């Protein structure tokens, strides 16, 4: 990212911006009707071997696929797997979308699974998903399924990341300049959207800010609200509560070791 043409109000922060740069995969989601079991997607049916136990909630109700990433289809991202399939599941019948805000590591209502070796023999994969909750019974952030495209980018620390002040090495502008500063920063380095890695966006507050035990956690995956209308009909329908955003965090060493058993799940809305 070229930081040489910063607006005047951001130029005093150039060193901090440069120091904080992180790579990430910016993800675009488009509604799709036909998706393979192996494909990167939001929603739809997952890749799942028959010899594995399908994830369920504490009552034994099957979870549904939130997102699936086939790393063979994606640009390489530092510290992330370069092969295999990473999946995110959430409860289908929970108005909190499977989140436990008192114990955000509690995977009773969500699950993160990783399959390092991909089976290509479809006869060894689940193909009958009639056991899943029916669409009309689901309380989920979206109804449609989406194909995904990813582009490798980099960006400096986001305004809502708890570490912003540390990287900037100075207090943001005060008084009359404060509004202009925050608006300019957001316009140039906004952290909204779907992504793997990078810095998160929040409509409220970063949960890591209040707990020193999780301040080494980094963003694993972010799914934002994403809605659009074409020809008078809703073409995209991703909505977390009241235009919110969901974030999954992980310790860097766990990410490098492909250990997704201690992921932190948070979402908030305005």
């Amino acid at each position: 990212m070229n930081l040489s043409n910063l607006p005047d109000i951001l130029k005093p922060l150039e060193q901090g911006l440069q120091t904080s740069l992180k790579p990430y995969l910016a993800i675009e989601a488009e509604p799709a009707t036909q998706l393979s079991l192996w494909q990167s997607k939001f929603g739809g049916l997952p890749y799942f071997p028959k010899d594995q136990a399908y994830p369920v909630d504490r009552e034994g109700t099957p979870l549904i696929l939130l997102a699936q990433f086939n790393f063979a289809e994606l640009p390489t991202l530092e510290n992330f797997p370069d092969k295999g399939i990473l999946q995110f599941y959430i409860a289908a019948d929970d108005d909190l979308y499977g989140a436990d805000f008192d114990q955000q590591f509690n995977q009773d209502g969500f699950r993160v699974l990783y399959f390092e070796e991909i089976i290509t023999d479809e006869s060894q994969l689940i193909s009958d998903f009639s056991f899943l909750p029916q669409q009309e019974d689901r309380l989920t952030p979206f109804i449609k399924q989406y194909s995904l495209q990813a582009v490798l980018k980099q960006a400096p620390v986001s305004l809502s990341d708890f570490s912003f002040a540390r990287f900037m090495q100075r207090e943001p502008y005060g008084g009359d300049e404060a509004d202009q500063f925050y608006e300019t920063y957001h316009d140039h380095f906004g952290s909204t959207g779907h992504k793997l890695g990078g810095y998160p966006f929040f409509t409220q507050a970063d949960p890591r800010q209040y707990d020193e035990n999780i301040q080494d956690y980094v963003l694993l995956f972010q799914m934002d609200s994403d809605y659009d209308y074409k020809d008078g009909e809703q073409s995209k329908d991703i909505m977390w509560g009241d235009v919110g955003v969901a974030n999954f965090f992980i310790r860097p060493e766990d990410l490098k070791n492909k250990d997704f058993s201690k992921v932190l799940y948070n979402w908030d809305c305005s």
Side-chain angles (χ1 to χ4, degrees):
M1 172 175 285
N2 184 1
L3 299 177
S4 61
N5 297 317
L6 289 173
D8 289 343
I9 200 167
L10 299 183
K11 284 182 178 178
L13 308 179
E14 182 174 354
Q15 182 178 354
L17 291 170
Q18 192 69 49
T19 302
S20 71
L21 283 174
K22 267 189 182 182
Y24 70 99
L25 293 184
I27 300 193
E28 290 293 332
E30 290 296 332
T33 54
Q34 299 294 325
L35 297 174
S36 74
L37 294 176
W38 296 270
Q39 194 169 342
S40 298
K41 63 183 77 172
F42 288 167
L45 300 176
Y47 162 93
F48 212 92
K50 289 180 178 178
D51 63 353
Q52 302 289 317
Y54 190 89
V56 297
D57 65 16
R58 68 180 68 186
E59 280 80 36
T61 302
L63 305 179
I64 63 164
L65 183 68
L66 177 70
Q68 173 172 289
F69 298 100
N70 185 335
F71 288 103
E73 302 174 346
L74 306 177
T76 301
L77 183 61
E78 184 181 6
N79 296 329
F80 278 69
D82 57 8
K83 66 175 184 176
I85 288 178
L86 180 64
Q87 299 173 329
F88 298 80
Y89 292 83
I90 61 171
D93 57 354
D94 179 6
D95 57 7
L96 294 180
Y97 306 138
D100 182 342
F101 294 109
D102 294 322
Q103 300 181 59
Q104 292 181 291
F105 303 98
N106 178 14
Q107 294 199 23
D108 284 346
F110 81 98
R111 205 70 45 82
V112 182
L113 301 179
Y114 176 64
F115 299 96
E116 186 165 15
E117 302 299 331
I118 299 177
I119 298 170
T120 57
D121 180 358
E122 198 162 350
S123 68
Q124 298 182 46
L125 304 177
I126 296 177
S127 58
D128 180 3
F129 289 92
S130 58
F131 62 88
L132 293 178
Q134 297 301 303
Q135 187 65 62
E136 59 268 20
D137 298 325
R138 297 182 184 182
L139 299 171
T140 54
F142 53 77
I143 296 175
K144 298 181 179 181
Q145 61 180 2
Y146 296 82
S147 62
L148 306 179
Q149 296 292 327
V151 177
L152 181 63
K153 296 184 177 182
Q154 61 176 344
V157 61
S158 62
L159 278 172
S160 53
D161 192 289
F162 81 98
S163 65
F164 175 82
R166 182 177 77 239
F167 278 113
M168 294 304 103
Q169 299 178 348
R170 57 163 290 173
E171 290 297 319
Y173 295 91
D176 295 338
E177 288 185 303
D179 289 343
Q180 182 186 355
F181 165 77
Y182 286 115
E183 182 177 343
T184 304
Y185 197 101
H186 176 76
D187 288 345
H188 281 74
F189 307 119
S191 55
T192 57
H194 315 304
K195 64 178 72 175
L196 288 171
Y199 291 101
F201 165 73
F202 305 96
T203 63
Q204 297 188 29
D206 189 335
R208 298 170 298 172
Q209 180 176 348
Y210 309 106
D211 188 346
E212 293 182 355
N213 295 318
I214 59 175
Q215 288 184 352
D216 60 338
Y217 273 64
V218 295
L219 182 65
L220 173 61
F221 167 49
Q222 174 172 291
M223 181 187 282
D224 206 346
S225 290
D226 189 0
Y227 52 96
D228 196 9
Y229 290 85
K230 291 183 180 178
D231 300 324
E233 295 185 0
Q234 189 170 16
S235 59
K236 293 186 180 182
D237 67 346
I238 303 173
M239 183 67 69
W240 291 88
D242 184 12
V243 197
V245 60
N247 316 95
F248 295 82
F249 297 92
I250 190 170
R251 279 202 167 94
E253 60 268 30
D254 289 337
L255 178 57
K256 291 178 182 178
N257 294 329
K258 305 178 181 68
D259 178 2
F260 300 96
S261 63
K262 298 181 287 294
V263 168
L264 185 156
Y265 168 35
N266 178 80
W267 73 270
D268 61 22
C269 63
S270 56

